[in-house]
């Protein structure tokens, strides 16, 4: 796929967010462990959105590399947490 730099950046951010969400367990971020099986590994989108202070819809748009432009402050916060 031939992408422009802004598109490539969105796709890289989307991949990073999904990978981090899937790699973290609830206990890694101070949440209680889940009871029972989960369909997917890692944190739920709702948990990540709450921790990040954004809506679930916004997080989904970021993870799907839609045309959203998170602030530099928000991106910096994600890199350090």
């Amino acid at each position: 796929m031939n992408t422009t730099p802004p598109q490539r950046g969105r796709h890289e951010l989307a991949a990073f967010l999904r990978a981090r969400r899937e790699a973290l367990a609830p206990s890694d971020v101070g949440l209680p462990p889940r009871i029972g099986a989960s369909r997917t590994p890692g944190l739920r989108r709702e948990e990540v959105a709450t921790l990040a202070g954004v809506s679930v819809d916004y997080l989904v748009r970021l993870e799907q590399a839609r045309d959203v432009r998170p602030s530099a402050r928000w991106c910096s916060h994600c890199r350090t947490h």
Side-chain angles (χ1 to χ4, degrees):
M1 176 177 15
N2 194 6
T3 60
T4 63
Q7 288 175 327
R8 188 171 32 249
R10 284 196 306 269
H11 289 281
E12 289 171 359
L13 176 61
F16 170 79
L17 291 173
R18 284 190 306 270
R20 290 294 297 154
R21 181 172 58 82
E22 292 169 358
L24 291 170
S27 60
D28 294 336
V29 294
L31 297 174
R34 286 193 210 105
I35 299 173
S38 181
R39 293 187 308 177
T40 58
L43 296 175
R44 294 180 175 136
R45 284 189 177 116
E46 293 82 6
E47 294 166 333
V48 174
T50 298
L51 292 167
V54 298
S55 70
V56 175
D57 180 62
Y58 187 69
L59 180 64
V60 168
R61 287 184 282 149
L62 288 170
E63 285 191 356
Q64 292 176 349
R66 293 193 207 165
D67 191 20
V68 293
R69 293 175 180 87
S71 69
R73 181 178 174 203
W74 191 84
C75 289
S76 177
H77 177 78
C78 287
R79 280 195 304 266
T80 60
H81 291 88

